[in-house]
């Protein structure tokens, strides 16, 4: 709405005020130059921007409310790092704003990417470990800490993660994915009332400031320390980013930087057609017959009818999100990005976003979340080739939700184990199936041991499959000890021992129950076996034999062969499989792993044996080092 003439005169006469500059700094020599700045404040109407040494400001625009100023700021190639003064000048006066030219981080040991050589560990910082009680109830957001309430902050933080890095190293973790660390708190969310009372966005997915670390978790200095410490332990860091939406209390919701910054309005987005996100119609995005209106039900709505939907078709929004991703990567040195709710933003945006990341950080990798069991839909979003819409998303890989559902049905519900083989038979749909992230649980689903039908034997068998099949395995915090938990938020319980005064410390063997220690040892053993067996990380998957209760397969890598037998039955199983096709000659003695005995090849076959409700692994080599 355009202000009345009298009000406009007042706005023009008032001295400008600048509250924030986003991004707060950038790098000379960066592949993205100029950088598009967003200055937020008051009385910015009619402003021009004067830049400091080594900077040139152009394309200045201000929204009608006079609260958002956009400007392209070009950075001279040889400009030295340091603080720069920006000056906003209007008819009413001038205001200073700070901006920093930053020295780039050394590339060695940073921006490494992900590969099948990795084991990912997902943790929710607020629920993992409290390393710094001073930030439990910060002055910026009082009254949001209460461990007795499932949707309040519990006190876990970045310092706690730093302190537990040796634990992760010992387990065999090589990559650490943290839920979003954006600032999330402005108010208690009065729109959602649960049995526990008002809720917070402790989980990180309701950002109120995309350029700040949440006060409950720490600050940017501690985040940088965490990334450096993780790298020193040989552990990569994955940032959870959210480009689809903001939190309901982001300042933009009441004061949009542009008229089209969001899809839908705070009032009516749940009732107006096309403004309530239809998460069940994601399939329309890969449907060449779907009309645009049908797809908009998925692309333009507010997620769970609460989270305001960013409009990536707005040029300023798209540029803001791309720069924000580049900024976090550049200021921390992290290695990969997990992108939340991938299908709910246009694929052409992902194409441009990934291209910008790849130009500056060629080795960095992106993992996209598409919560769907249809392998054709998941494959449609993996980059590597243009689809019918002419778009190559550029997304490196995705979470293997189709295989997750098969894992749950097999090892929890007792469905035939052949469902695993059938699901893997769809790998021809993917550009790079070996890079899919495989898992048996994460923060959006009930924990494995919280489901009906769950047993420690079933979970161990599921882990054996996860660490020996193709893909990049992921462990959800607490699942390495078989932690129970139902649906959200019960699946986000505090890790035992992460808080001073906890009754026990499951970070150490002495604090674990016998069952927890057995699970932990099993997961650690699988991680070590995978780390020392190239075939289990990078080998071609060959399906050998499958029945209702047994599944035999091989991983083939150069001169190494790994054979696996899974037995979901209640009695020991023996399966004879052909291995001549794998290049394993007669007389080869396959060494058993994970408690399996040796097996000898004869007549082009070998007999494999596995105990009831267990898996077994054998390792061997070809005489000639063939495929």
């Amino acid at each position: 709405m355009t202000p009345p003439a009298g009000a406009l005169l007042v706005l023009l006469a008032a001295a400008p005020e600048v509250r924030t500059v986003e991004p707060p700094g950038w790098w000379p020599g960066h592949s993205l130059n100029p950088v598009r700045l967003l200055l937020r404040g008051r009385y910015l109407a009619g402003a021009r921007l004067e830049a400091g040494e080594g900077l040139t400001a152009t394309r200045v625009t201000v929204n009608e409310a006079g609260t958002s100023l956009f400007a392209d700021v070009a950075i001279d190639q040889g400009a030295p790092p340091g603080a720069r003064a920006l000056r906003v000048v209007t008819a009413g006066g001038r205001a200073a704003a700070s901006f920093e030219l930053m020295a780039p981080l050394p590339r060695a040991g940073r921006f490494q990417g992900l590969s099948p050589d990795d084991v990912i560990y997902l943790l929710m910082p607020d629920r993992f470990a409290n390393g710094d009680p001073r930030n439990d109830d910060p002055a910026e957001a009082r009254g949001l800490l209460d461990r007795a309430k499932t949707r309040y902050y519990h006190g876990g933080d970045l310092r706690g993660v730093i302190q537990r890095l040796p634990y992760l190293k010992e387990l065999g973790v090589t990559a650490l994915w943290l839920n979003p660390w954006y600032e999330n708190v402005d108010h208690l969310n009065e729109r959602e009332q649960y049995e526990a009372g008002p809720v917070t966005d402790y989980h990180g997915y309701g950002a109120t400031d995309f350029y700040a670390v949440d006060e409950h978790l720490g600050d940017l200095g501690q985040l940088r320390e965490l990334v450096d410490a993780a790298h020193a332990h040989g552990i990569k860091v994955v940032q959870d980013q959210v480009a689809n939406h903001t939190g309901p209390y982001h300042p933009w919701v009441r004061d949009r930087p542009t008229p089209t910054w969001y899809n839908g309005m705070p009032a009516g987005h749940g009732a107006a057609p096309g403004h309530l996100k239809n998460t069940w119609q994601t399939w329309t995005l890969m449907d060449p017959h779907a009309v645009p209106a049908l797809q908009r039900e998925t692309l333009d709505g507010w997620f769970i009818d609460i989270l305001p939907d960013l409009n990536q078709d707005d040029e300023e929004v798209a540029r803001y999100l791309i720069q924000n991703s580049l900024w976090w990567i550049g200021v921390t040195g992290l290695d990969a990005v997990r992108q939340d709710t991938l299908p709910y933003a246009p694929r052409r945006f992902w194409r441009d976003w990934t291209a910008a990341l790849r130009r500056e950080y060629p080795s960095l990798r992106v993992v996209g979340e598409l919560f769907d069991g249809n392998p054709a839909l998941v494959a449609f979003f993996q980059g590597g080739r243009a689809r019918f819409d002419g778009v190559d998303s550029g997304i490196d890989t995705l979470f293997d939700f189709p295989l997750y559902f098969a894992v749950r049905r097999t090892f929890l519900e007792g469905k035939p184990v052949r469902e695993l083989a059938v699901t893997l038979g769809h790998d021809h749909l993917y550009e790079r199936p070996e890079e899919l992230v495989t898992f048996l649980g994460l923060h959006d689903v009930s924990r494995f041991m919280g489901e009906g039908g769950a047993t420690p034997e079933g979970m161990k068998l599921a882990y054996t499959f996860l660490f020996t099949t193709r893909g990049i395995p992921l462990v959800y915090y607490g699942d390495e000890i078989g932690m129970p938990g139902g649906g959200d938020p019960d699946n986000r319980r505090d890790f035992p021992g992460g808080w001073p005064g906890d009754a026990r410390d499951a970070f150490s063997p002495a604090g674990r129950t016998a069952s927890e220690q057995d699970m932990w040892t099993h997961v650690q053993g699988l991680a070590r076996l995978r780390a020392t067996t190239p075939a289990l990380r990078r080998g071609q998957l060959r399906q050998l034999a499958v029945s209702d209760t047994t599944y035999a397969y091989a991983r083939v890598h150069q001169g190494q062969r790994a054979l696996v037998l899974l037995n979901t039955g209640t009695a020991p199983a023996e399966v004879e499989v052909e291995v001549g096709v794998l290049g394993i000659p007669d007389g080869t003695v396959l060494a058993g792993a994970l408690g399996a005995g040796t097996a000898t090849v004869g007549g082009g076959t070998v007999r494999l044996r596995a105990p009831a409700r267990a898996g077994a692994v054998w390792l061997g080599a070809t005489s000639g080092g063939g495929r």
Side-chain angles (χ1 to χ4, degrees):
M1 176 183 294
T2 303
L8 182 58
L9 290 175
V10 172
L11 293 177
L12 290 174
E17 299 176 8
V18 177
R19 295 172 179 167
T20 60
V21 179
E22 298 177 301
W26 208 251
W27 301 268
H30 197 281
S31 59
L32 194 153
N33 187 20
V35 60
R36 186 76 168 156
L37 298 190
L38 169 58
L39 281 66
R40 295 273 288 172
R42 294 194 302 171
Y43 313 127
L44 304 179
R48 72 176 190 274
L49 185 67
E50 297 177 351
E53 176 192 358
L55 307 178
T56 304
T58 58
R59 287 188 65 216
V60 177
T61 60
V62 181
N63 67 353
E64 286 189 2
T67 55
S68 294
L69 180 152
F70 294 93
D72 279 355
V73 174
I75 303 172
D76 293 352
Q77 182 76 19
R84 296 294 191 276
L86 304 175
R87 290 171 296 278
V88 177
V89 182
T90 71
R94 59 180 55 213
S98 60
F99 185 72
E100 182 183 3
L101 291 188
M102 300 180 289
L105 294 174
R107 298 275 168 152
R110 297 182 172 93
F111 320 118
Q112 302 170 80
L114 291 171
S115 78
D117 292 332
D118 288 310
V119 174
I120 304 173
Y121 190 88
L122 162 62
L123 64 83
M124 186 164 284
D126 180 63
R127 305 300 166 90
F128 189 62
N130 187 350
D132 186 0
R134 293 173 299 177
N135 59 32
D136 288 356
D137 193 28
E140 300 89 343
R142 291 289 189 199
L144 303 179
L145 176 79
D146 192 336
R147 288 185 71 191
K149 294 181 179 179
T150 56
R151 296 185 184 274
Y152 274 63
Y153 283 92
H154 287 190
D157 50 34
L158 300 177
R159 178 64 58 197
V161 178
I162 293 171
Q163 293 171 353
R164 301 301 180 177
L165 288 172
Y167 166 83
L168 300 179
K169 178 72 172 180
E170 184 183 7
L171 182 62
V173 171
T174 66
L176 176 60
W177 161 24
L178 293 83
N179 290 130
W181 51 63
Y182 306 127
E183 180 179 298
N184 267 245
V185 176
D186 258 4
H187 306 279
L188 290 179
N189 186 343
E190 298 171 355
R191 293 193 58 195
E192 289 185 314
Q193 298 289 331
Y194 293 84
E195 66 282 358
V199 301
T200 69
D201 286 335
Y202 68 90
H203 43 66
Y205 293 99
T208 55
D209 187 340
F210 280 105
Y211 279 97
V213 174
D214 192 272
E215 299 91 347
H216 297 84
L217 303 182
D219 56 28
L220 182 58
Q222 290 175 338
L223 178 60
R224 287 168 163 161
E225 182 183 350
L226 168 58
V227 175
D228 288 345
H231 287 163
H233 282 83
I235 298 174
K236 303 171 182 177
V237 177
V238 183
Q239 182 189 9
D240 201 333
Q241 295 188 0
V242 185
N244 175 66
H245 56 261
T246 69
Y249 293 107
H250 197 293
W252 295 335
V253 176
R254 295 186 180 183
D255 178 21
R256 300 183 178 209
T258 70
T260 56
W261 196 262
Y262 288 113
N263 293 307
M265 302 295 291
H269 66 269
H275 287 155
L276 175 60
K277 190 175 293 295
N278 191 331
T279 57
W280 302 108
Q281 289 193 179
T282 313
W283 60 269
T284 62
L285 303 178
M286 69 168 184
D287 181 5
H289 313 296
V291 297
L294 194 60
Q295 295 180 335
R296 280 199 297 272
E297 293 186 26
T298 295
L299 290 173
D300 293 354
W302 286 30
F303 192 68
I304 63 170
D305 198 20
I306 293 290
L307 300 174
D309 192 69
L310 290 166
N311 175 20
Q312 295 81 14
D313 287 329
D314 182 310
E315 179 184 354
E316 299 290 4
V317 173
R319 186 65 176 263
Y320 181 97
L321 294 171
I322 289 171
Q323 291 180 168
N324 184 251
S325 294
L326 289 167
W327 185 85
W328 280 113
I329 297 165
V331 299
T332 62
L334 58 86
D335 304 286
V337 170
R338 181 263 186 184
Q339 186 56 248
D340 184 63
T341 51
L342 187 76
Y344 305 134
R347 283 166 43 81
R348 56 188 173 274
F349 168 74
W350 296 129
R351 173 197 60 204
D352 298 342
W353 178 78
T354 55
L357 268 58
R358 191 162 289 115
R359 275 193 297 272
E360 185 65 22
Y361 306 107
S363 296
L364 185 116
R365 293 293 177 264
V366 174
V367 183
E369 181 214 23
L370 200 166
F371 197 137
D372 199 284
N374 183 350
L377 179 59
V378 175
F380 182 73
F381 275 82
Q382 189 178 37
R385 65 183 175 92
R387 303 290 176 162
F388 77 88
D389 56 2
V391 175
D392 178 346
S393 73
I395 300 295
D396 297 295
T397 190
L398 293 97
F399 294 94
D400 196 346
F401 274 98
L403 193 60
Y404 154 79
F405 286 114
V407 165
R408 288 281 177 122
R409 287 190 290 265
T410 298
F411 300 113
L412 282 173
E413 301 175 19
K415 302 297 184 183
V417 72
R418 71 174 69 249
E419 187 168 347
L420 300 175
V422 171
T423 302
L424 289 165
H426 290 82
D427 275 2
H428 65 91
L429 298 169
Y430 300 103
E431 293 298 301
R432 296 171 301 281
E434 69 279 1
E435 295 182 10
L436 295 172
V437 175
T438 58
F439 57 97
L440 52 85
L442 38 67
H443 63 295
D444 287 326
V445 299
S446 299
R447 286 190 181 269
F448 189 98
M449 290 304 295
E451 294 276 22
T455 64
E457 294 78 18
M459 190 174 196
K460 290 170 66 175
L461 191 53
Y463 267 131
T464 299
F465 171 67
L466 198 71
F467 277 80
T468 58
T469 193
R470 61 96 178 110
I472 306 173
L474 177 148
V475 177
Y476 180 42
Y477 84 98
D479 277 358
E480 72 272 23
I481 58 172
M483 213 158 101
D488 173 15
D490 190 44
N491 58 349
R492 303 168 181 182
R493 299 183 186 184
D494 299 344
F495 193 98
W499 281 253
D502 278 1
R504 62 191 184 92
D505 180 9
F507 286 109
S508 66
R512 299 174 196 139
T513 66
S515 177
E516 288 174 341
Q517 182 59 38
D518 183 52
M519 188 68 68
W520 196 93
T521 301
H522 182 69
V523 174
Q524 183 197 49
L526 286 166
R528 287 179 173 175
L529 178 64
R530 185 180 176 91
T532 57
T533 310
L536 291 177
R537 303 193 310 272
R538 295 186 169 270
Q540 177 189 8
L541 177 64
R542 302 293 299 275
Q543 316 233 53
L544 301 177
V546 63
S547 71
D548 284 352
T549 58
T550 59
Y551 175 30
Y553 52 93
R555 303 294 305 281
V556 178
H557 180 71
Q558 298 177 358
Q560 187 182 63
R561 306 292 185 263
L563 275 64
V564 182
L565 176 62
L566 306 179
N567 175 23
T568 62
T570 57
E574 179 178 295
V575 176
E576 184 173 3
V577 296
E578 182 181 355
V579 294
V581 295
L582 304 179
I584 304 178
D586 288 351
T588 299
V589 178
L590 302 176
L594 297 179
T598 60
T600 303
V601 177
T605 67
V606 66
R607 288 187 175 274
L608 305 178
R609 298 174 179 83
R613 296 284 288 168
V617 179
W618 294 265
L619 307 177
T622 63
S623 57
R627 295 181 58 200

